[in-house]
Amino acid sequence: MDLKGTNNTVEVTDALYRAGSDGDQMGKWSLFMAFYGIASAMFMLYIGAAMAVAYGTVNAIIGLVLTIITYSLINRVLAKHSINNRTTVARFSRTILGKAGTIIASVILALTAIYYAVFEGSIVVYAFQAAFGGEHWIWSLVVVVYSTPLILGGVRRFLDKLNGWLLPLYLLGLVVMVVWAGVRFGFTDAWLTHTPGAELPLAAGGPGWLATFAAYLGVWVLMMYTMDYAALGKRQDTGFHTKYTFTWPFWTLTYGVNALVGIFLTFTIPGLQVSESGLSGGLVALMGPIGLVLVLVFQTRINTANYFIGAANLQEFGERLFRVKLPAAFWVIVSSAIIYLLMLLPIIQYLLLALAWQGVLVSGWVAIALTHILLNRTRKDEHGLLGDEHYRQVHYPGLIAWTVATVVGIFLTSAFPWGATWGPIATVIVASGLYAGLRGAFRQHSALHAPTETGPKPA
């Protein structure tokens, strides 16, 4: 396909749509299996249990139902757009933020994925220590060394098979944990009837179901994961992916089923600490080697996604910032080295603060992305394969909206007792509304050069 003689953005995009072959994209079941690796994170068991302990089981379940519905609706839009346009987070950020914004979005997603890899890897370390003892730094090295080769071949070549093999073990593991704990300590309805000492008042961020819903805003980064994975899909499989891969079945399993298991274990196993480390240590103490194997299965599945997203976006960031082209394996190794060094620090202690700040940054980006797609749904003028020359350096509506919304969100989250609930929600509202308004004020529907322009122009 020769586009050298074509400067008009619309003509280039139409040519890409006509010529874009799906031959190099992942099959639907391969992509399904690769993405479902995210479902098994023990963090999902922990956060559900934490919400039930803090706000009561009923409030936690209501918040979860709202979360699953919201995630399914938003990810359907993001996944469909990403499949049709092959737009990863980095490529789509060119559209809503400009080329400069792509660097920012890439490094934020890379660092977020690396943080999750550190956090989820630490859970395996705690499990190893509970089973065998030993030094933290040694087991951290073991975790990084066995995790890194799993993504050296890339998501297309191995992750689908790995997660396909481990998926039955993960599902079986959930059943085994529940049955084992119930047989050992008894099946009761205590996990369904738990209520907090007092309802969370509105002034402190209540009610509990809303606080639960807001807490899951901190994990909107998985919507960015959705875009990066969906960009690997085939257009002919769009219907399948928007029904099963990226929408309600996935989120029901990831958030709903995992949360219910986490809640059950927390209120069934005496003295179980409501934390990821406490949960993994408790499983090893309860089930011995089988518990250790289950932790390894759960965490290996999720960390394939974290390592892949972290390395891919670190590569995007490094290549754009330093203008160098290096093999993907180089960035995988660099990412793994960063993960190992961070695992030596007490980073797990800052989970709640990191989630709050990350939730603000990510939810603002997602709100802008969703608003852009909905406002531009009648256009067909962007594609992930478009060259950078078709984009402005800065798209002011996107950057201003994201910056203002982030400042508002972090201020509310940090300054007020109710900020943990309303900070992320306000971020979404401000980001979406401001982006929609500024597009009209600047008369720019995206960072793409206007179709009437005769060729690429500097910002």
Side-chain angles (χ1 to χ4, degrees), residues 92-106:
F92 189 68
S93 293
R94 294 183 308 179
T95 302
I96 59 174
L97 303 173
K99 289 183 286 188
T102 298
I103 297 176
I104 301 171
S106 297

Side-chain angles (χ1 to χ4, degrees), residues 315-336:
Q315 179 178 5
E316 187 78 34
F317 166 74
E319 289 183 351
R320 288 184 176 276
L321 183 64
F322 301 112
R323 301 182 185 279
V324 294
K325 287 282 186 181
L326 295 170
F330 170 82
W331 297 105
V332 170
I333 293 171
V334 169
S335 177
S336 295

Side-chain angles (χ1 to χ4, degrees), residues 119-358:
F119 187 72
E120 301 293 356
S122 296
I123 306 313
V124 183
V125 172
Y126 288 125
F128 276 133
Q129 288 182 308
F132 307 114
E135 296 292 331
H136 183 86
W137 71 269
I138 294 177
W139 289 120
S140 297
L141 184 60
V142 169
V143 170
V144 172
V145 167
Y146 92 74
S147 299
T148 301
L150 298 180
I151 64 160
L152 281 174
V155 67
R156 301 167 188 259
R157 297 173 59 183
F158 185 63
L159 294 193
D160 58 328
K161 297 179 179 62
L162 174 68
N163 286 314
W165 298 330
L166 295 180
L167 180 60
L169 291 179
Y170 156 62
L171 296 174
L172 179 62
L174 291 177
V175 175
V176 169
M177 287 190 296
V178 170
V179 173
W180 199 307
V183 170
R184 176 79 179 274
F185 300 107
F187 290 95
T188 70
D189 64 352
W191 67 286
L192 282 173
T193 58
H194 172 75
T195 56
E199 279 293 328
L200 189 69
L202 185 63
W209 60 265
L210 184 62
T212 297
F213 176 78
Y216 279 93
L217 282 173
V219 205
W220 272 29
V221 66
L222 293 186
M223 297 192 186
M224 300 174 90
Y225 280 37
T226 290
M227 291 199 77
D228 272 14
Y229 272 85
L232 301 171
K234 297 181 179 181
R235 290 183 198 143
Q236 68 190 49
D237 299 328
T238 300
F240 175 87
H241 290 310
T242 54
K243 287 179 182 177
Y244 305 112
T245 307
F246 300 109
T247 53
W248 67 269
F250 176 82
W251 302 111
T252 299
L253 174 62
T254 302
Y255 288 151
V257 175
N258 281 325
L260 292 177
V261 171
I263 295 169
F264 176 82
L265 295 176
T266 297
F267 292 105
T268 300
I269 302 175
L272 187 66
Q273 217 176 359
V274 187
S275 66
E276 277 205 338
S277 57
L279 194 57
S280 64
L283 289 175
V284 174
L286 174 68
M287 304 169 68
I290 295 178
L292 177 61
V293 169
L294 290 180
V295 172
L296 282 171
V297 169
F298 279 42
Q299 299 307 92
T300 298
R301 281 170 51 82
I302 177 60
N303 256 354
T304 57
N306 291 329
Y307 274 64
F308 164 66
I309 295 293
N313 282 276
L314 192 65
Q315 179 178 5
E316 187 78 34
F317 166 74
E319 289 183 351
R320 288 184 176 276
L321 183 64
F322 301 112
R323 301 182 185 279
V324 294
K325 287 282 186 181
L326 295 170
F330 170 82
W331 297 105
V332 170
I333 293 171
V334 169
S335 177
S336 295
I338 295 172
I339 290 169
Y340 175 67
L341 293 175
L342 290 177
M343 288 180 75
L344 302 181
L345 302 175
I347 194 170
I348 200 169
Q349 298 176 12
Y350 303 100
L351 170 66
L352 294 180
L353 178 62
L355 276 179
W357 284 48
Q358 169 206 295

Side-chain angles (χ1 to χ4, degrees), residues 393-433:
Q393 187 67 23
V394 176
H395 183 48
Y396 291 103
L399 278 179
I400 293 174
W402 196 22
T403 301
V404 172
T406 298
V407 171
V408 169
I410 290 178
F411 172 72
L412 294 179
T413 300
S414 306
F416 300 100
W418 43 264
T421 297
W422 288 103
I425 294 174
T427 301
V428 170
I429 295 172
V430 171
S432 178

